[in-house]
């Protein structure tokens, strides 16, 4: 057996605290990244566009004359986009738009005999959509950011993506923005882009601050998000991508191996985890990994990700233990390739997206399932959700009571106000009692 992924044996009945420390995780680099980017964020806040240009020169090696991408560049990029890529993007847009439309939260009204409390949902006014660059090109992330924002009814969308040597983001990213009607695109990446969206600037060019920033990025993007989240909303403070595959003897090892590899090719810090109760499957998957990696384009990156502390095989004693491990891990992507997978999936409470069966690989969710690929990582799926329509909306409650409705609860209000030593609260009701 070729042991490309280390094997961790999980004792039955292990305490949750111990299990959390046992599951593979990347070393937390957020604190270090936050410290590194704090001067950049402060500089953009203080100097605006000039600081963005300086940071882009320093970190990206690109000298910008204009930060905003001219509209003609968007039009040209779409005109030059290959028909096959355009058709694939259009299908991705159509499926995500259909799912997003059904996800729009509906308000509610409760009537207490003529006194009414309503909950209504409204979109934020303006959002900043971040699309990373670097090792890969992410037109799909343009789709995942923009479509739910548009379905939510956001009136102003701005998109930022790092510039290449031309001074512009990748042309397929520009084409996708134009395809979706997002005409405010900025050639800026990293912490400087996050800070520009949070604080805005108006020196030479004008970028209005946003209400919410969404989209994935590296540790520096995550660090910048954490620094500005008291000024703007953010979708999540995400780490590198991760997959946990839950598999038993019924799983096809070539499928398991291919899906573990597909996430590892993103980044040397990507996490690829298998949890199983079958030693035989582990051996077969390890052999498949060795075979498939030899044919992989990014084989060195994949090997580095597999060798990291964030990747490994969790060998458990039972199906119930597999469920428990998966819930404690709370993965960004959770695949279920076992006998009766739907029954197993019902017991999974924590996971960004759960992919059930042999024919639901993570790659499907990355592009064309109709789900969103911007997901919580690093165990935050215990409390966080995928990017969606709700990420761009907020609720308000509307209270409309009649005089009689207020009188029905006046005694209770005055009693509680007295108990909390807030007499003016009680008087505000008492005064109306007398009117």
């Amino acid at each position: 057996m070729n042991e490309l992924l280390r094997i961790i044996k999980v004792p039955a009945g292990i305490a949750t605290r111990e299990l959390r420390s046992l599951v593979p995780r990347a070393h937390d680099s957020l604190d270090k990244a936050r410290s590194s980017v704090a001067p950049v964020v402060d500089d953009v806040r203080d100097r605006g566009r000039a600081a963005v240009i300086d940071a882009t020169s320093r970190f990206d090696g690109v000298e910008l004359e204009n930060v905003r991408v001219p509209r003609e560049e968007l039009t040209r990029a779409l005109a030059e986009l290959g028909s096959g890529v355009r058709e694939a993007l259009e299908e991705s847009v159509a499926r995500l738009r259909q799912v997003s439309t059904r996800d729009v939260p509906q308000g509610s009204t409760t009537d207490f005999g003529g006194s009414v409390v309503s909950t209504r949902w409204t979109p934020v006014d303006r959002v900043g959509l971040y699309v990373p660059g670097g090792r890969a090109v992410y037109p799909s992330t343009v789709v995942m950011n923009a479509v739910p924002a548009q379905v939510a009814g956001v009136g102003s969308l701005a998109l930022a993506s790092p510039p290449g040597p031309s001074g512009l983001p990748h042309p397929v990213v520009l084409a996708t923005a134009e395809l979706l009607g997002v005409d405010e695109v900025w050639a800026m990446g990293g912490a400087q882009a996050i800070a520009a969206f949070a604080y805005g600037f108006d020196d030479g060019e004008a970028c209005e601050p946003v209400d919410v920033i969404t989209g994935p990025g590296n540790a520096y993007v995550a660090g910048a998000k954490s620094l500005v989240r008291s000024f703007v909303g953010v979708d999540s403070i995400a780490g590198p991508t991760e997959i946990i595959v839950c598999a038993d003897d019924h799983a096809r090892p070539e499928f398991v191996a291919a899906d573990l590899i597909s996430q590892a090719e993103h980044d040397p810090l990507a996490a690829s985890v298998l949890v199983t109760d079958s030693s035989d499957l582990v051996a077969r998957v390890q052999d498949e990994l060795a075979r498939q990696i030899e044919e992989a384009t990014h084989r060195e990156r994949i090997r580095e990700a597999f060798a990291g502390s964030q990747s490994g095989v969790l060998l458990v004693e039972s199906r119930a233990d597999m469920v428990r491990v998966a819930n404690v891990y709370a993965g960004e992507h959770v695949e279920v390739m076992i006998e009766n997978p739907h029954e197993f999936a019902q017991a999974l409470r924590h996971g960004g997206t759960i992919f059930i069966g042999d024919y639901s690989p993570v790659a499907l969710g990355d592009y064309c399932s109709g789900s969103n690929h911007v997901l919580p990582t690093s165990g935050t799926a215990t409390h966080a959700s995928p990017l969606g329509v709700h990420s761009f909306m907020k609720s308000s409650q509307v209270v409309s009571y009649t005089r009689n409705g207020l009188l029905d609860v006046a005694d209770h209000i005055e009693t509680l106000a007295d108990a909390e030593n807030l007499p003016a609260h009680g008087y505000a009701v008492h005064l109306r009692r007398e009117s």
Side-chain angles (χ1 to χ4, degrees):
M1 178 178 69
N2 298 281
E3 192 169 305
L4 286 165
L5 287 175
R6 64 192 174 113
I7 300 173
I8 304 167
K9 293 185 178 180
V10 181
I14 186 173
T16 299
R17 179 179 60 81
E18 295 178 68
L19 181 55
R20 284 180 176 172
S21 66
L22 189 64
V23 298
R25 292 288 188 203
H27 297 299
D28 186 8
S29 59
L30 183 59
D31 287 342
K32 182 178 180 181
R34 187 188 292 113
S35 298
S36 297
V37 302
V40 177
V41 171
D42 290 344
D43 194 27
V44 173
R45 180 194 61 201
D46 296 339
R47 294 198 302 124
R49 173 179 174 272
V52 171
I53 290 174
D54 288 349
T56 303
S57 174
R58 190 159 72 251
F59 300 123
D60 299 321
V62 177
E63 303 296 331
L64 294 176
E65 292 185 11
N66 297 299
V67 185
R68 183 163 179 173
V69 176
R71 181 61 191 274
E72 56 266 25
E73 296 293 346
L74 303 178
T75 304
R76 178 184 301 117
L78 182 58
E80 295 174 355
L81 185 67
S83 60
V85 176
R86 178 166 183 158
E87 288 172 9
L89 286 168
E90 288 173 339
E91 183 65 25
S92 179
V93 168
R95 288 175 180 251
L96 181 57
R97 195 176 298 280
Q98 185 173 345
V99 172
S100 298
T101 298
R102 294 187 177 184
D103 280 346
V104 175
Q106 303 301 311
S108 64
T109 299
T110 304
D111 191 331
F112 297 98
S115 297
V116 176
V117 176
S118 300
T119 300
R120 68 181 182 186
W121 288 84
T122 55
V124 301
D125 290 334
R126 177 168 165 80
V127 299
L129 312 176
Y130 186 78
V131 177
R135 292 184 177 89
V137 182
Y138 293 103
S140 58
T141 300
V142 180
V143 175
M144 300 296 168
N145 272 291
V147 170
Q150 291 172 331
V151 172
V154 177
S156 177
L157 279 67
L159 187 147
S161 192
S166 68
L168 298 171
H170 195 280
V172 181
V173 168
L174 299 182
T176 309
E178 177 72 4
L179 180 68
L180 287 165
V182 179
D183 59 10
E184 183 182 342
V185 179
W186 297 89
M188 54 187 184
Q192 62 268 30
I194 302 303
F197 276 156
Y199 302 116
F201 55 74
D202 61 2
D203 51 321
E205 296 174 284
C207 178
E208 293 297 321
V210 303
D211 300 307
V212 172
I213 300 172
T214 66
N218 61 19
Y220 299 106
V221 169
K225 279 184 172 182
S226 73
L227 290 172
V228 303
R229 67 188 309 175
S230 60
F231 298 94
V232 295
V234 299
D235 52 349
S236 64
I237 309 298
T241 190
E242 61 195 23
I243 181 176
I244 181 167
V245 180
C246 306
D248 64 9
D249 275 328
H250 293 80
R252 295 178 61 169
E254 70 273 25
F255 289 178
V256 175
D259 294 350
L260 293 170
I261 287 172
S262 74
Q263 289 306 295
E265 79 170 341
H266 274 286
D267 191 301
L269 293 176
S272 292
V273 178
L274 168 63
V275 56
T276 182
D277 59 356
S278 170
S279 297
D280 180 61
L281 179 71
V282 173
R284 289 184 289 146
V285 168
Q286 297 273 27
D287 288 343
E288 272 294 326
L289 290 173
R291 184 185 66 80
Q292 293 186 30
I293 285 175
E294 288 305 312
E295 301 172 2
T297 301
H298 304 297
R299 63 181 69 89
E300 295 307 318
R301 188 187 306 165
I302 294 164
R303 287 195 180 98
E304 189 174 349
F306 281 177
S309 62
Q310 73 275 12
S311 297
V313 175
L314 293 161
L315 186 58
V316 300
E317 295 187 10
S318 69
R319 181 182 173 113
D321 290 335
M322 290 170 61
V323 171
R324 184 160 178 252
V325 167
N327 279 326
V328 167
Y329 186 80
E332 177 188 19
H333 307 100
V334 184
E335 287 194 356
V336 180
M337 285 191 268
I338 66 172
E339 188 177 22
N340 299 321
H342 289 275
E343 177 186 334
F344 184 95
Q346 284 297 314
L348 295 178
R349 295 179 291 108
H350 306 309
T353 299
I354 299 168
F355 299 84
I356 300 175
D358 287 347
Y359 298 97
S360 302
V362 168
L364 173 67
D366 282 342
Y367 300 114
C368 279
S369 68
S371 62
N372 203 297
H373 77 203
V374 182
L375 302 167
T377 64
S378 306
T380 59
T382 54
H383 58 271
S385 304
L387 187 69
V389 176
H390 59 276
S391 307
F392 302 98
M393 303 185 77
K394 67 278 185 305
S395 65
S396 301
Q397 290 189 315
V398 181
V399 177
S400 178
Y401 262 56
T402 64
R403 183 176 186 277
N404 286 338
L406 177 61
L407 293 179
D408 284 343
V409 292
D411 287 342
H412 299 308
I413 296 170
E414 292 184 45
T415 297
L416 291 170
D418 183 61
E420 295 187 353
N421 193 26
L422 296 171
H425 284 61
Y427 181 71
V429 171
H430 176 76
L431 193 64
R432 287 167 170 80
R433 214 198 260 269
E434 301 297 315
S435 66

